[in-house]
Amino acid sequence: MAPHDVPRSFEALVAEGAAVPTDGWDFSWFDGRATEERPSWGYAVSLAGRLARATAALDVQTGGGEVLDFALGRAAASAPVLSAATEGWPPNVAKATELLRPRGTVVVAAHEDAPLPFADGAFDLVSSRHPVTPHWTEIARVLRPGGTYFAQHVGPRSVFELVEYFLGPLPAEQSSGRDPDRERAGAEAAGLEVVDLRAERLRIEFHDIAAVVHFLRKVVWMVPGFTVEAYEDRLRSLHEEIESKGPFVAHSSRHLFDIRKPHR
């Protein structure tokens, strides 16, 4: 029996979830504690195929570099001659640099809202997995004519069952952010052509309160200002619900963009 299969107190589980480091985007700690369906398109594997055909590639808001590292490794000898990544959170900049430097990828510290620190038309492939905000004019600027933006975005009302458990019902405008059709319009307004757009809603299960605590500490925009102390009553209530009824179910929202910069 795994350690987390043994019944444990609310206090012990919360302490464990609060102690796990939150840097990077490696979610392996959740194995056995939470599950999430994956989109049918298999983003990381698909990205590897795009990288194998690219000559100069940029990954925007790369996090700890884990997805790009996997994709570059799968592309292997066909990986692009030039590869770069941006990241704004200092702990992730250090983590991504350590992971990606052996691949020959330079990691540039750049805030998510800042202009991309690269020349016009520098890349034939720009990628991103779960950017906070896609800056379409900047993406269009650094892409070469005929170049591609290939990315997986977080969609509207992602994991909102959990968010609203803690915050209560949210206004429609707040809960419908990151709408793929709005993002399509933003890309087209920047002069880009949307070749393909796919969206899926996927089941998530949280099997213990430690997983909830770690998730809300790691994905900080879900419940802004989350701390165990501030939300102890709601955490205890959710712990009791999981213990009596089974996993807490939520749903993530994901969409895939395949976008081209026209030659004109």
Side-chain angles (χ1 to χ4, degrees), residues 47-93:
L47 176 60
R50 302 297 180 109
L51 288 167
R53 300 191 296 274
T55 58
L58 170 65
D59 196 55
V60 178
Q61 299 178 37
T62 198
E66 297 88 353
V67 173
L68 180 60
D69 178 63
F70 170 87
L72 286 169
R74 192 174 178 96
S78 300
V81 174
L82 171 65
S83 61
T86 65
E87 174 55 31
W89 191 43
N92 275 349
V93 173

Side-chain angles (χ1 to χ4, degrees), residues 221-240:
W221 54 87
M222 287 291 176
V223 179
F226 172 82
T227 64
V228 168
E229 294 74 20
Y231 288 95
E232 182 175 359
D233 289 346
R234 294 304 289 158
L235 287 168
R236 189 178 294 277
S237 175
L238 183 53
H239 167 71
E240 293 170 356

